[in-house]
Amino acid sequence: MRLSILDRGQTIGTRALFAFIRAVSRQPVLDVVKMAAYRPDFYGRLMQAVTHEAMRGPSTWSVGDRELMAAVVSKANECEFCVNAHTATAARAYGDGVKVAAALSNLETAPIEEPLRVTLRMLRTLTREHTVGPDDMRTVLAAGVSRTQIEDALAVCFAFNVVNRLADAFEFFVPEPDAFEAGAKYLLTRGYR
Amino acid sequence: MSDIVRALEAVIARILEGSGRADPAMRRAAFENTNLTGPTATLVRKVAEQPSRVTDADVAAARNAGLTEDQIFEIVVCAAVGQATRQYHTGLAALEAATGRPDHG
């Protein structure tokens, strides 16, 4: 972590909670959690509400679909921490790690439904190119994705375009897979709040 | 959907207009990725445009230019939320253009 305040600047109560979590889970506290808990009144609390709404709020996309979107956006941003975190969470949500791995390695041949595929492709373009046009959206709509589903996918994209940037800029430590598995379990039971 | 828009607006209002350690004008400039100079401009531009290219040296240079860690934290958050917001609005505008319906959020 490039800023020591994000590692050690939380309140005494929060740091005590982190020590407790480390002891009980035998896993490191993920840097994304430490960041959200640093001056949560400035960023963490309100942004977690956005992310929770996008990832767990009402939507016809499943939780697995939205976690896969998060992983694909993170990959487009080359954010290793977030790719690992949301690959693990999508795999657990779907109960199908092979499908998630396939979607991340080759979106065009992965065994996923066409509406999800074209949506992921659009999110990848928006993330990589920083822009999309009406034609990109017409392609998605033509595959049977509703306007509301596109709006929901854009909200997921927003949340991860924020956190990918922070993970890269602050250089979140990338722990062993076990830590991301523990994180995935947490995200699927408690969400992002 | 409208819940998301409201929640997003709350984040933006807080980081740009609420109390902070960095000057509000600097936070807004970071959000907009404009009107900054020197190491702060470099850091903000990388966070917005090429986040995976941010280096230790970029953060050290901002520190050497006189920014505290808390100010760097705020500036980076503003830059990240700003770029993500522009992309989100670009996506919604493209959708509106494709469907020919205004977005009432």
Side-chain angles (χ1 to χ4, degrees), chain A:
Chain A
M1 201 100 93
R2 290 192 171 116
L3 298 179
S4 63
I5 50 171
L6 299 182
D7 246 337
R8 300 184 292 276
Q10 295 81 4
T11 63
I12 290 174
T14 299
R15 279 182 288 146
L17 178 62
F18 286 170
F20 177 76
I21 292 168
R22 272 194 298 272
V24 171
S25 70
R26 296 189 200 130
Q27 295 294 339
V29 175
L30 297 174
D31 279 358
V32 67
V33 175
K34 292 186 197 166
M35 178 187 69
Y38 180 71
R39 289 175 57 202
D41 156 70
F42 183 80
Y43 165 79
R45 200 169 294 135
L46 290 170
M47 188 61 203
Q48 281 175 298
V50 172
T51 308
H52 188 84
E53 181 66 24
M55 299 302 285
R56 300 290 182 269
S59 173
T60 52
W61 296 115
S62 70
V63 167
D65 293 340
R66 286 180 269 176
E67 290 291 342
L68 180 57
M69 291 175 196
V72 166
V73 168
S74 300
K75 191 181 174 206
N77 276 325
E78 302 172 9
C79 180
E80 185 186 4
F81 179 96
C82 299
V83 170
N84 292 4
H86 298 282
T87 299
T89 312
R92 185 173 281 272
Y94 281 135
D96 187 347
V98 173
K99 177 164 89 170
V100 173
L104 287 167
S105 74
N106 188 342
L107 186 53
E108 305 313 320
T109 57
I112 57 174
E113 299 292 320
E114 208 52 28
L116 178 60
R117 190 190 325 275
V118 296
T119 301
L120 291 170
R121 210 185 278 142
M122 181 275 290
L123 296 181
R124 194 175 58 182
T125 301
L126 177 57
T127 302
R128 276 188 192 156
E129 314 292 327
H130 303 246
T131 191
V132 281
D135 285 345
D136 296 297
M137 291 302 179
R138 286 188 195 102
T139 303
V140 179
L141 291 161
V145 181
S146 73
R147 178 190 171 94
T148 304
Q149 285 181 307
I150 295 177
E151 290 174 343
D152 291 351
L154 289 172
V156 173
C157 193
F158 167 81
F160 286 86
N161 266 313
V162 174
V163 76
N164 291 166
R165 283 179 165 72
L166 300 180
D168 280 338
F170 298 137
E171 198 175 43
F172 287 180
F173 173 71
V174 179
E176 296 301 307
D178 282 358
F180 287 119
E181 284 301 324
K185 271 188 219 169
Y186 182 91
L187 287 178
L188 292 177
T189 50
R190 303 282 297 274
Y192 288 79
R193 285 184 288 218

Side-chain angles (χ1 to χ4, degrees), chain B residues 1-84:
Chain B
M1 188 58 199
S2 56
D3 285 348
I4 270 283
V5 171
R6 264 196 300 277
L8 197 158
E9 282 170 358
V11 169
I12 294 171
R14 173 64 191 90
I15 63 175
L16 294 185
E17 293 157 26
S19 66
R21 316 283 165 84
D23 184 72
M26 186 184 267
R27 282 185 262 154
R28 185 166 291 277
F31 182 91
E32 293 172 356
N33 187 17
T34 184
N35 290 332
L36 289 165
T37 55
T40 313
T42 306
L43 177 62
V44 163
R45 193 174 56 243
K46 279 192 171 180
V47 171
E49 296 167 14
Q50 293 183 298
S52 63
R53 303 286 179 83
V54 175
T55 64
D56 290 351
D58 294 322
V59 174
R63 220 188 293 259
N64 291 337
L67 294 186
T68 65
E69 287 212 340
D70 272 300
Q71 289 171 329
I72 294 171
F73 169 62
E74 293 178 5
I75 292 305
V76 169
V77 165
C78 289
V81 175
Q83 183 65 26

